Amino acid sequence: IKLDSAAPVLADVDFTPTTAVAKAGSPLIIMGKSGSGKSSLLYSLVGFLPYVGSIKIGDVELREIRDRENHISMLLQDDYLFNTSIRENLKIANQDATDAQIHELLQLVELDKLVDSLPAGLDTHVGAYGYNFSGGEKQRMKLARVLLRDTPIYLLDEPFEYLDKELFERVSKRVLQRLQNKCLVVVSLSLIHI
């Protein structure tokens, strides 16, 4: 992966078919030290960074897919929560989502009880940069938002960041179950049990 004419951000990455193919029911988990280029690899998959070599979705070279947004849902490591309600932050991913669908995903990421306990419920404002919520709550809210989309491919960059071990295990298991029929690539500093 290169940034225009600059030096490579991530050089000489070679995945063999037995270890680097993500397909439905067989997620690809990318682990490595901080700063090793894991996020850069995901950014190249969605077209944020140019790449040298070949990245294919099915048999089609990634560069040839013009409507990637219809095929790929991505949770960025530094995704943003807007200074609006929980409902509106989640519906960014799917304007047609019902409150029942939103609640189902809040339950999946274990935020349903918290939201139900708030006086304004889904109409509660998250505040600028999500300041009304903890790091783990914000991360799970962003994860629920991505899961509201229905695409064949999901790229999740540190989706379980800020979660304690028990919560990490429960939520990651549910996410893997929900996306079992999707192509899933996850960047994680912690081992995810498949």
Side-chain angles (χ1 to χ4, degrees):
I1 301 168
K2 292 185 178 182
L3 292 171
D4 298 326
S5 61
V9 173
L10 186 63
D12 299 326
V13 175
D14 183 21
F15 292 123
T16 62
T18 57
T19 60
V21 174
K23 57 185 178 182
S26 182
L28 175 61
I29 311 299
I30 300 171
M31 295 180 65
K33 295 179 182 176
S34 182
S36 63
K38 301 179 304 294
S39 296
S40 296
L41 180 62
L42 290 189
Y43 291 170
S44 69
L45 292 175
V46 291
F48 293 171
L49 290 175
Y51 62 92
V52 175
S54 181
I55 299 174
K56 291 187 177 183
I57 296 178
D59 292 328
V60 180
E61 183 62 38
L62 186 65
R63 289 183 195 92
E64 297 173 13
I65 300 174
R66 297 290 172 230
D67 60 342
R68 287 181 220 157
E69 67 278 359
N70 294 324
H71 299 287
I72 300 173
S73 293
M74 183 172 181
L75 172 64
L76 299 170
Q77 190 174 15
D78 55 355
D79 250 345
Y80 189 79
L81 287 175
F82 297 89
N83 190 11
T84 187
S85 70
I86 294 170
R87 178 185 289 109
E88 290 306 313
N89 264 285
L90 297 181
K91 287 185 76 163
I92 289 168
N94 178 357
Q95 292 296 308
D96 297 324
T98 64
D99 283 359
Q101 290 170 313
I102 290 170
H103 195 270
E104 176 189 350
L105 287 169
L106 290 174
Q107 187 174 19
L108 185 143
V109 299
E110 296 191 24
L111 281 177
D112 57 318
K113 291 177 183 163
L114 171 67
V115 173
D116 289 346
S117 74
L118 299 170
L122 288 174
D123 293 319
T124 301
H125 275 248
V126 299
Y129 306 103
Y131 75 81
N132 289 332
F133 295 91
S134 72
E137 291 164 349
K138 290 187 283 192
Q139 191 68 0
R140 287 180 285 152
M141 204 175 298
K142 293 182 276 189
L143 178 58
R145 177 171 62 198
V146 169
L147 295 175
L148 265 178
R149 291 190 42 133
D150 184 19
T151 57
I153 301 167
Y154 288 81
L155 308 175
L156 307 179
D157 194 354
E158 295 293 347
F160 313 113
E161 192 172 29
Y162 307 114
L163 306 187
D164 64 40
K165 183 181 179 192
E166 291 78 17
L167 186 56
F168 167 86
E169 289 178 359
R170 291 192 309 268
V171 172
S172 64
K173 182 177 180 181
R174 286 191 205 108
V175 168
L176 290 173
Q177 178 68 29
R178 181 176 179 87
L179 299 179
Q180 66 180 335
N181 296 320
K182 306 290 186 177
C183 178
L184 173 62
V185 178
V186 180
V187 164
S188 179
L189 287 173
S190 302
L191 182 62
I192 299 172
H193 300 287
I194 299 172

